[in-house]
Amino acid sequence: MSVTQLLLFIVVMVMISPAWGAKDYGLTPKEIAPGTYVLLGQNEHFNFRNGGNIVNTGFIITEKGVIVIDTGPSRLYGEQLRTAIGKITDQPIVKVFNTHLHPDHILGNQAFEDIQIAALPSTIEGIREQGELFNDSMYRLAGAWMAGTRVVLPTQIVKPGVVEMGGHRLRLFEMDGHSHADLVILDETTGVLFAADVVFHGRTPTTPHADVAHWMQALDTVSSLKFKLLVPGHGHVVSDSLPIVQTREYLQWLIDRLSQAAETGQTMAELLQSDAPSSIANLAVFREEYQRSVVHLFPDIEAKALSRGRVEQD
Ligand SMILES: [Zn+2]
């Protein structure tokens, strides 16, 4: 191969690589129950390869239209989700739910602007306050996949309780702990539980807006529900409670580890070196998420331990 041919080859390879070529998330809806589909994201961090598709979205085809649960990380994802739905059913999309404020769940809203997008009040508030910040940081993390994405606010408030839609009986739960408001949806007709980010499977939970004590309570509620299939916010769909157990085990370990470090006066640098048991260390993106969680949660835990110490000395 001559030098010119080699250069040409490199240019062509760069052009057809995902960073340059036409962006395609390759969304493949998987039917998990009658008329109920899930699109599984990667158990990874946001990056230029996955374009932010690290999240599970879903939809339910009812007799009176399609219900979409979360819209993905970008305008492009939302558009490709809508196209994927259109290939499966002629039914119109009648309702979109945003489970919580995080960008990977809501930045596809733009593709559903003509449809009622519903969310819990604190979720709408959170997106109003922080949506643009999320959008900026997603551009940095996922690059060109985010082109043309802007924040679209939900237009309808979700009230917890039962709603009947086209032959499906949906029970809507208002929880919190992963974020200030986490919408969990149990389709009592099919037994599919959309647990959103209250439940992670095989992936380290994220904590930028977490209240761990509340999150534990939410996990108790989710455990008490009767479901046939559990769709976590991240990770594979299962028919058992393993992801609930995993999420709880991680959060308990995390909070114990941080509290113990605060009580014994460890520094953040020491804490970041921490070794976890293999069941926790083997969760996807453990190292990065653990470090982020230390940064999110430790200052507060440390301040509380210090003020307790001061009270005891007085
Ligand atoms: Zn989240």
Side-chain angles (χ1 to χ4, degrees):
M1 195 186 279
S2 72
V3 174
T4 317
Q5 282 173 322
L6 181 65
L7 284 174
L8 192 66
F9 175 73
I10 291 170
V11 167
V12 168
M13 289 311 285
V14 168
M15 296 287 285
I16 63 172
S17 80
W20 284 76
K23 304 288 181 200
D24 185 354
Y25 283 105
L27 300 181
T28 324
K30 191 174 158 228
E31 190 170 19
I32 59 166
T36 308
Y37 293 78
V38 168
L39 300 98
L40 291 177
Q42 304 289 321
N43 258 356
E44 300 174 345
H45 260 305
F46 302 123
N47 62 42
F48 281 59
R49 242 178 315 102
N50 61 40
N53 181 14
I54 64 160
V55 63
N56 295 340
T57 60
F59 59 94
I60 303 167
I61 304 171
T62 79
E63 289 158 11
K64 293 217 170 111
V66 181
I67 301 163
V68 176
I69 300 166
D70 282 339
T71 60
S74 63
R75 170 192 59 84
L76 188 66
Y77 183 104
E79 287 170 1
Q80 292 181 2
L81 171 59
R82 202 160 173 172
T83 304
I85 295 169
K87 283 182 184 160
I88 292 173
T89 179
D90 292 335
Q91 288 274 12
I93 297 169
V94 289
K95 173 81 98 182
V96 174
F97 287 112
N98 285 162
T99 59
H100 66 295
L101 80 169
H102 287 153
D104 44 334
H105 298 259
I106 58 117
L107 283 176
N109 280 3
Q110 205 174 339
F112 301 92
E113 241 177 322
D114 55 325
I115 292 155
Q116 278 186 342
I117 303 178
L120 293 165
S122 296
T123 299
I124 301 175
E125 206 42 52
I127 298 171
R128 184 178 288 123
E129 282 171 12
Q130 301 185 59
E132 289 303 336
L133 217 68
F134 291 152
N135 201 13
D136 286 350
S137 68
M138 284 299 293
Y139 268 87
R140 278 197 297 280
L141 296 167
W145 292 88
M146 299 302 299
T149 302
R150 63 182 161 73
V151 177
V152 171
L153 283 175
T155 48
Q156 198 186 41
I157 286 175
V158 166
K159 290 198 193 78
V162 173
V163 285
E164 306 266 357
M165 290 176 85
H168 284 251
R169 190 180 153 86
L170 304 183
R171 192 173 288 276
L172 310 178
F173 295 88
E174 178 167 11
M175 302 190 192
D176 72 300
H178 170 70
S179 74
H180 309 125
D182 300 300
L183 175 64
V184 169
I185 302 171
L186 175 61
D187 184 340
E188 294 184 340
T189 308
T190 57
V192 175
L193 176 64
F194 288 90
D197 279 11
V198 173
V199 180
F200 282 66
H201 183 203
R203 187 199 195 278
T204 315
T206 62
T207 60
H209 299 96
D211 178 322
V212 175
H214 284 215
W215 196 339
M216 290 297 207
Q217 285 167 12
L219 286 168
D220 287 344
T221 309
V222 168
S223 308
S224 72
L225 302 177
K226 282 201 173 66
F227 59 84
K228 284 189 190 148
L229 284 175
L230 187 156
V231 182
H234 302 263
H236 283 281
V237 177
V238 290
S239 56
D240 58 30
S241 297
L242 176 68
I244 302 174
V245 174
Q246 270 184 354
T247 306
R248 189 195 301 280
E249 186 191 8
Y250 176 76
L251 293 175
Q252 190 63 57
W253 171 81
L254 177 68
I255 218 68
D256 288 349
R257 179 74 193 87
L258 300 192
S259 305
Q260 187 208 10
E263 298 296 341
T264 56
Q266 287 182 41
T267 62
M268 207 186 259
E270 287 171 306
L271 191 51
L272 288 172
Q273 300 306 318
S274 169
D275 280 328
S278 60
S279 58
I280 285 171
N282 289 340
L283 294 173
V285 293
F286 165 71
R287 187 53 54 190
E288 302 92 319
E289 289 299 352
Y290 168 64
Q291 291 182 354
R292 282 185 353 135
S293 291
V294 169
V295 174
H296 298 147
L297 302 174
F298 190 57
D300 199 34
I301 292 174
E302 193 179 34
K304 280 188 187 135
L306 285 173
S307 70
R308 260 202 310 281
R310 221 168 279 132
V311 170
E312 277 158 22
Q313 279 169 25
D314 287 348

